[in-house]
Amino acid sequence: MLSSARITATCKGVPIEDIDNNANLRGIQSSITKRIYSAKYADLIHSIKTNPSERRTQMLARILSARGDSYTWYTVPCDALTTMNNCQTRIAALQRLLIPIITTNIDEAVGRAKITCPKCNVTSPKTPLTKDCVADTSDIDPYGYHSFRCRADGHTPRTKLLHDRLRDVWISIFRHAGFIVTREPRSAIQESNKRPDAAVF
């Protein structure tokens, strides 16, 4: 009875009929917690899907991508590859919470804030954000998504801090699994100068 009353008060609409009140306290608490989190997550997804912003699909993709990662914020840094500085930690947290990195008080449905990319020097237009504008070359957004697709001068910081680190993590995983891995082998793709990130044997 106590567990049913608590879960009903904490999160309305959560199914409680099949909770075993005769289980030990830890089992009951675990059932309550899982159901509350599931209900809150469902509410979050619904609020994103019904968000009037044209970025709702972008936001939904970001939150669904992060859902499978339950380790990042519990990992104890042990080397340079697993350590973030204060600025990186702030940006990672803001993106996980779907909070703009650059604070603006402008409703994108009315007009976008004037933000200029320091790499490609493109400035977001003041026109309202439409579905076709999301993630295009002129979409310099306050959430920092543009930094993932900016190609100005090869975008060395993005290559070094994002692409190369992800590549090295995957190479490390394969090598620990016993595979032979070659980093960015040349002439691996016929009739092309492009190089794959890694060749696994």
Side-chain angles (χ1 to χ4, degrees), residues 170-199:
W170 280 108
I171 289 176
S172 177
I173 291 172
F174 279 116
R175 285 177 175 168
H176 277 87
F179 291 93
I180 298 174
V181 185
T182 302
R183 179 185 290 120
E184 298 191 4
R186 297 182 183 276
S187 304
I189 303 177
Q190 296 181 358
E191 299 179 1
S192 174
N193 293 324
K194 293 183 178 181
R195 295 175 295 172
D197 291 332

Side-chain angles (χ1 to χ4, degrees), residues 114-200:
K114 183 179 179 180
I115 304 174
T116 301
C117 173
K119 288 296 178 182
C120 64
N121 293 318
V122 173
T123 301
S124 54
K126 293 183 178 180
T127 55
L129 181 69
T130 63
K131 184 177 181 179
D132 294 333
C133 294
V134 175
D136 70 5
T137 53
S138 65
D139 183 22
I140 316 300
D141 62 282
Y143 296 89
Y145 296 127
H146 172 75
S147 63
F148 292 99
R149 58 180 179 271
C150 179
R151 295 179 178 273
D153 299 326
H155 203 330
T156 303
R158 183 192 65 182
T159 301
K160 181 178 179 181
L161 300 176
L162 180 65
H163 171 273
D164 289 358
R165 287 196 172 195
L166 286 173
R167 177 204 61 199
D168 292 346
V169 166
W170 280 108
I171 289 176
S172 177
I173 291 172
F174 279 116
R175 285 177 175 168
H176 277 87
F179 291 93
I180 298 174
V181 185
T182 302
R183 179 185 290 120
E184 298 191 4
R186 297 182 183 276
S187 304
I189 303 177
Q190 296 181 358
E191 299 179 1
S192 174
N193 293 324
K194 293 183 178 181
R195 295 175 295 172
D197 291 332
V200 182

